[in-house]
């Protein structure tokens, strides 16, 4: 039976148990743990440097109130990067290609930023729905448009991450299938296709890291509006 290209995005099960829970818990096992020694090894030092640079880059524009989110967003960044990178390995499942999982990340965090804004500075938070100097006739229309754009934000976060990773995986599978089929027929074309596959894989590695960064960056921008 011919398998669909989209079968790779189905959540695998073993004895009726979904293995997505295992895929979500694996990244935390791979991270090196700090030691009580005065000097850490190179891997722990590199991990600490990366986290420090990331938090400095993301939270520099935020006020001190937003710095409470540093541990949460840094952990989410590492988690998403690891899931995306592990999903590029052969015979693996990428949980972040599931829209339901990405929405489960996006909706609570977006809602938390909105609630913080409504609680701390409700006038400023509601002021985003109506730009200053708006003509009187356009006020109802702009309020509706800004409200819709506000509620579309978590959907855009989840769909962006899902669509980029899904498209990349499909392209890799299509080109790999083409290279495999063309090998006995046209070896020269198959070699060129394999080179293209290698370059695309490098591109997908960059996309896996960039999309995780963009996801957390947009959350920090939403937080900046409400803190």
């Amino acid at each position: 039976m011919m398998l669909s290209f989209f079968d790779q995005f189905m959540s695998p099960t073993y004895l009726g148990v979904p293995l997505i829970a295992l895929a979500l818990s694996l990244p935390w096992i791979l991270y090196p743990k700090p030691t009580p020694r005065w000097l850490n090894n190179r891997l722990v030092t590199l991990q600490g440097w990366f986290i420090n640079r990331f938090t400095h880059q993301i939270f520099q524009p935020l006020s001190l109130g937003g710095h409470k989110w540093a541990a949460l967003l840094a952990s989410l960044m590492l988690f998403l990067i690891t899931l995306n990178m592990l999903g590029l390995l052969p015979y693996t499942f990428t949980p972040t290609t599931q829209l339901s999982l990405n929405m489960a990340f996006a909706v609570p965090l977006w809602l938390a930023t909105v609630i913080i804004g409504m609680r701390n500075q409700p006038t400023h938070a509601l002021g985003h729905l109506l730009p200053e100097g708006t003509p009187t006739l356009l006020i109802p229309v702009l309020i509706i448009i800004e409200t819709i754009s506000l509620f579309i934000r978590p959907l855009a976060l989840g769909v962006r991450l899902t669509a980029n990773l899904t498209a990349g995986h499909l392209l890799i599978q299509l080109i790999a299938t083409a290279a495999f089929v063309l090998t006995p027929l046209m070896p020269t074309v198959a070699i060129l296709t394999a080179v293209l596959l290698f370059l695309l894989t490098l591109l997908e590695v960059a996309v896996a890291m960039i999309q995780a960064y963009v996801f957390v960056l947009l959350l920090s921008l939403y937080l900046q509006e409400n803190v």
Side-chain angles (χ1 to χ4, degrees), residues 34-201:
T35 62
R37 300 176 181 177
W38 286 4
L39 294 177
N40 291 317
N41 58 38
R42 291 181 176 87
L43 191 57
V44 175
T45 303
L46 180 63
Q47 178 180 277
W49 174 84
F50 173 77
I51 294 175
N52 288 336
R53 293 299 302 170
F54 167 73
T55 52
H56 177 75
Q57 181 74 23
I58 290 292
F59 292 94
Q60 187 176 11
L62 295 179
S63 62
L64 292 178
H67 291 182
K68 300 175 183 177
W69 287 59
L72 175 61
L73 294 186
S75 302
L76 180 63
M77 170 77 171
L78 286 175
F79 186 60
L80 290 177
I81 284 182
T82 309
L83 285 179
N84 295 346
M85 297 291 287
L86 289 177
L88 293 174
L89 297 176
Y91 303 105
T92 55
F93 170 68
T94 313
T96 44
T97 57
Q98 306 295 311
L99 182 60
S100 57
L101 177 69
N102 295 332
M103 293 301 294
F105 285 137
V107 173
L109 294 173
W110 164 82
L111 187 59
T113 62
V114 173
I115 292 175
I116 287 175
M118 292 294 184
R119 186 185 65 179
N120 294 341
Q121 41 186 5
T123 304
H124 181 71
L126 292 175
H128 289 297
L129 301 180
L130 185 63
E132 187 177 356
T134 304
T136 306
L137 294 177
L138 295 180
I139 287 178
V141 178
L142 280 180
I143 290 178
I144 294 174
I145 293 174
E146 292 295 331
T147 304
I148 293 174
S149 67
L150 177 65
F151 284 97
I152 281 179
R153 284 179 174 182
L155 181 62
L157 280 176
V159 170
R160 180 186 293 106
L161 183 58
T162 304
N164 280 281
L165 295 180
T166 302
H169 283 66
L170 283 175
L171 279 175
I172 288 177
Q173 185 173 3
L174 285 169
I175 296 177
T177 305
F180 179 77
V181 171
L182 291 172
T183 300
L185 302 176
M186 292 179 286
T188 305
V189 178
I191 292 174
L192 295 177
T193 308
V195 172
L196 178 62
L197 177 63
F198 176 73
L199 296 176
L200 180 62
T201 304

